[in-house]
Amino acid sequence: MHRSALRITNLQKAVRPLPQQLTVAPPVSVQLRTKTSSSPGERLSQSKSMVLQDSDLHQKPISRHRRNQSQHGIAGAGAMGTSVELQGEYLNKAKISDGGKKHRKNWTSTWVVLDADQLTFYKESKQEALANLKPGCKPDGVALCGALIDWTTEKSSRRNVLQITTHTGSEYLLQADCYTTICKWYDAIKKTVNSLVSTYLLLHIMRSYLNRGRSNMYWTLTIYYFLSDMFTSSKLKHSTSDSADKSGVKNRLKKFIIRRPSMKTLQEKGIIKDRVFGCHLLTLCEREGTTVPSFVKLCLETVERRGLTVDGIYRVSGNLSTVQKLRFMVDQEEELDLDASQWEDIHVVTGALKMFFRELPEPLFPFRFFELFVEAIKTKDRRQKVQAVKKLIQQLPKPNLDTMKLLFGHLQRVLACSTKNLMSSQGVSIVFGPTLMWPEMDCGNMAFNMLYQNQIVEFILMESRDIFDLGM
C-alpha cells in the first residue's frame, strides 16, 4: 500500500497542477527532529512516518563519494512552505546537454532570476544586464513548462548540485556552496514547475498513449478522470494519521472504479473508436458487416488502378512517416481518398497494406493451420499438393478465406504485368510469405520457417486458379 500511495502521488504531480494547500502544508503525520552536529562524528537524529510523503521525494540523495558528502544540517532542506520570492542570486551554472546533444561541462557564476515560467541567466545583476543588453538580443533562459528537477551526485563532483531537464532534452546544473541557498532554489523551482503542468502536458501524455495503440486510450481517460476527481475533491487533504490516509485513498479508488464510465459508454459517446490496424480480422469484419476489410479492398483497388506497372510494386518500401500518417487516418475512421496528392506515392499505399497484415493479432493464415500447411507443402505429387492446400484453405474462417481469395487474385494481376513491374512469383512470395503467416510460438528456427512461408505463398500464388476456382 505504501508503494501505491507513492505512485498516486507521482501521478498527481505529472498530470495536473498541484493545489496550493498540497504544496504548502507539510504532512502532519511526518515528525522530523533535526540536531545540528557540532562535530563530523555526530549523526542527524530523525524520526519519520513509514508512509512516504512529498517532502521525502525531493530530499538531496546521499552520495558515497567523499567529495559529495556535506556535514551541515538539513533544517531548510525540504520545506515546502510559503512561496519564496526570488529576485535574483549568483549561482554556479553548467549546461551539459542541448536537446540531447552532450556539452562539455563548464561552470560559470551566473545571476539567476526565477520568473513566472522560466529561469533566466544573466552575466551580472538583472538591472545591469538589461541596461547593457544589445538590441535584438535576449538573455539565456530555461523554460520550466514540462521540465524535471532533481538532485544529482553523478553529474558533478561538487556538492549541492541540482539538475534541470527541459521537455526538449536540454540539461542544466545549478550549484551553490550554501546548502540552504540551493534548497531554497530547489523548492521555488519545483513549485513553479508544478504550477505549469497544464492541459497541454496532459494531451501530450494521451497522445503518446494513442501512438502506441488506441486500446490504451481507455486507461488514459481513466487516469485523467481519476486524477481530476482527486484534485477537485474537497476531501483531498493530508490525513492526521497514516491509517486514515490509507483508508481515504482506498475509499476514493473504490468509489471511482464503481462510477467510472465503461468502455461501452465511451464507445457510444464516440470518445473511443475501434481501431483498424491491430484488430482481429474476424472482429473487424463483423464490425464492418463484410467478409473482407474495407481498407484492404480500397488498397487493392488503388494499386490496380495506378500501380500494377510500377517498378518494384510491393517490394519497394514507402516513406514510413507517410505510411504511419495513413495508418492514423484509417484508425481515426476519417474519410479516406487514396487518390489524393498526399498518397501519390503508390508505395505508401502498398506499405500500409503490408503493415495491416503484419499487425493482425493472428495472421491471415491462422496459427493452428501453420503446421498443417507446412505438411501439405511437403507433398511430392503436384495434384495431391493442390488438393491438400485447397482443402485446408476451404476450412479457414470466412473472413480469412474471402480476404485471401481477393488478395491472391490481385497478386495474379500483378504477376501478369511482370514485364513492366519486374516482380516475379518468387519476389512476391518473399514479400508476402512472412507477412501473411508465421508460427504462434517462435522456436528460434527463423530460416526454416521463412523457407516454408515463402514456398507456401508462392505455391498458392501459382496454383490460385485451381485452389480458389478463379476464372481466367
Side-chain angles (χ1 to χ4, degrees):
M1 188 61 196
H2 301 165
R3 293 181 180 175
S4 300
L6 178 56
R7 290 192 188 106
I8 291 173
T9 302
N10 290 339
L11 278 173
Q12 291 170 351
K13 290 183 178 180
V15 180
R16 295 281 296 273
L18 291 176
Q20 189 65 25
Q21 65 266 29
L22 291 183
T23 59
V24 173
V28 179
S29 60
V30 173
Q31 298 174 354
L32 177 66
R33 299 195 307 273
T34 303
K35 180 173 64 178
T36 304
S37 59
S38 57
S39 66
E42 292 184 16
R43 295 184 178 179
L44 297 175
S45 173
Q46 299 181 6
S47 172
K48 285 190 176 183
S49 164
M50 292 301 291
V51 178
L52 293 177
Q53 303 293 343
D54 290 346
S55 57
D56 300 321
L57 300 180
H58 74 279
Q59 289 180 1
K60 182 183 174 186
I62 299 174
S63 172
R64 298 187 181 275
H65 200 296
R66 63 175 179 269
R67 290 182 295 177
N68 288 335
Q69 295 178 359
S70 56
Q71 298 296 331
H72 35 61
I74 61 170
M80 295 291 287
T82 56
S83 167
V84 181
E85 295 292 334
L86 299 178
Q87 300 297 329
E89 195 167 3
Y90 277 108
L91 297 175
N92 295 317
K93 182 206 76 169
K95 187 175 184 179
I96 60 174
S97 175
D98 186 5
K101 184 179 180 181
K102 298 297 182 182
H103 280 203
R104 182 178 180 180
K105 184 167 51 186
N106 184 22
W107 287 102
T108 56
S109 181
T110 307
W111 184 265
V112 184
V113 176
L114 177 59
D115 296 322
D117 61 350
Q118 69 172 6
L119 277 177
T120 310
F121 304 124
Y122 302 93
K123 293 183 179 179
E124 49 202 346
S125 68
K126 183 176 181 180
Q127 291 74 16
E128 296 175 2
L130 292 178
N132 298 331
L133 197 63
K134 296 180 180 180
C137 297
K138 293 183 179 180
D140 189 18
V142 179
L144 296 178
C145 183
L148 300 173
I149 178 171
D150 202 356
W151 297 105
T152 180
T153 57
E154 299 177 354
K155 301 296 178 68
S156 174
S157 60
R158 297 191 179 195
R159 64 183 184 180
N160 308 331
V161 180
L162 62 86
Q163 176 179 341
I164 300 172
T165 306
T166 67
H167 71 282
T168 59
S170 298
E171 295 176 307
Y172 295 82
L173 301 180
L174 292 180
Q175 185 266 345
D177 292 332
C178 178
Y179 190 45
T180 305
T181 299
I182 200 65
C183 280
K184 175 183 66 177
W185 280 90
Y186 178 95
D187 292 339
I189 296 171
K190 186 75 172 178
K191 290 177 184 178
T192 303
V193 169
N194 287 339
S195 68
L196 292 173
V197 179
S198 60
T199 305
Y200 168 79
L201 184 56
L202 174 65
L203 292 176
H204 177 73
I205 295 171
M206 294 172 69
R207 191 179 298 115
S208 69
Y209 274 112
L210 284 172
N211 288 341
R212 299 175 189 173
R214 193 175 301 169
S215 60
N216 291 323
M217 180 65 173
Y218 179 64
W219 290 107
T220 306
L221 291 171
T222 295
I223 293 170
Y224 169 70
Y225 289 145
F226 174 67
L227 292 175
S228 298
D229 177 70
M230 290 281 284
F231 281 115
T232 55
S233 173
S234 60
K235 296 180 181 179
L236 187 60
K237 297 178 181 178
H238 288 288
S239 305
T240 56
S241 67
D242 295 344
S243 59
D245 185 60
K246 293 177 191 176
S247 61
V249 172
K250 256 188 201 175
N251 292 334
R252 282 193 296 273
L253 280 170
K254 275 183 185 178
K255 291 177 181 178
F256 169 74
I257 292 174
I258 290 172
R259 72 172 185 270
R260 74 173 178 179
S262 64
M263 175 77 81
K264 184 178 181 181
T265 302
L266 293 176
Q267 289 174 341
E268 289 174 351
K269 290 182 178 180
I271 298 175
I272 295 179
K273 297 179 180 179
D274 294 313
R275 57 184 177 175
V276 174
F277 281 74
C279 181
H280 197 284
L281 186 63
L282 182 60
T283 304
L284 179 61
C285 290
E286 286 179 350
R287 191 171 75 225
E288 294 180 349
T290 62
T291 56
V292 179
S294 302
F295 178 68
V296 174
K297 288 181 182 178
L298 187 60
C299 288
L300 298 183
E301 290 170 359
T302 303
V303 173
E304 292 190 7
R305 192 164 53 249
R306 58 185 180 92
L308 288 179
T309 59
V310 174
D311 184 9
I313 190 71
Y314 287 114
R315 175 174 50 81
V316 177
S317 301
N319 182 274
L320 182 58
S321 63
T322 311
V323 172
Q324 291 287 6
K325 183 178 180 181
L326 175 56
R327 169 195 175 158
F328 181 78
M329 289 186 65
V330 173
D331 276 342
Q332 290 294 323
E333 296 182 1
E334 297 181 16
E335 187 174 346
L336 192 61
D337 179 13
L338 291 182
D339 290 325
S341 58
Q342 59 182 331
W343 320 123
E344 181 180 4
D345 183 4
I346 194 64
H347 299 304
V348 169
V349 178
T350 57
L353 179 63
K354 289 184 291 184
M355 181 180 288
F356 170 83
F357 284 116
R358 282 197 301 268
E359 294 198 0
L360 287 173
E362 187 172 22
L364 189 62
F365 289 77
F367 291 131
R368 64 184 184 276
F369 286 88
F370 184 85
E371 293 297 335
L372 298 177
F373 275 105
V374 170
E375 292 301 319
I377 205 67
K378 293 178 181 179
T379 306
K380 300 296 183 182
D381 184 73
R382 176 191 166 276
R383 282 181 170 276
Q384 292 180 1
K385 188 186 297 187
V386 170
Q387 291 302 317
V389 172
K390 182 175 181 179
K391 183 178 180 181
L392 287 174
I393 289 179
Q394 289 175 345
Q395 295 174 12
L396 296 175
K398 183 68 171 172
N400 298 68
L401 174 59
D402 289 354
T403 302
M404 196 179 296
K405 182 176 181 179
L406 185 67
L407 176 63
F408 278 93
H410 163 76
L411 295 178
Q412 277 283 344
R413 291 184 281 277
V414 170
L415 290 180
C417 301
S418 59
T419 55
K420 296 181 179 179
N421 58 40
L422 304 180
M423 288 298 292
S424 63
S425 60
Q426 186 178 12
V428 172
S429 66
I430 290 174
V431 172
F432 279 96
T435 301
L436 301 180
M437 65 184 309
W438 58 86
E440 185 173 10
M441 300 297 293
D442 188 1
C443 299
N445 200 342
M446 186 179 297
F448 177 83
N449 291 334
M450 188 172 294
L451 175 65
Y452 283 113
Q453 288 164 343
N454 298 349
Q455 286 183 1
I456 292 168
V457 170
E458 184 176 9
F459 181 78
I460 295 175
L461 185 59
M462 298 303 296
E463 305 294 340
S464 57
R465 287 189 175 86
D466 293 332
I467 292 174
F468 296 107
D469 297 324
L470 299 177
M472 296 299 292

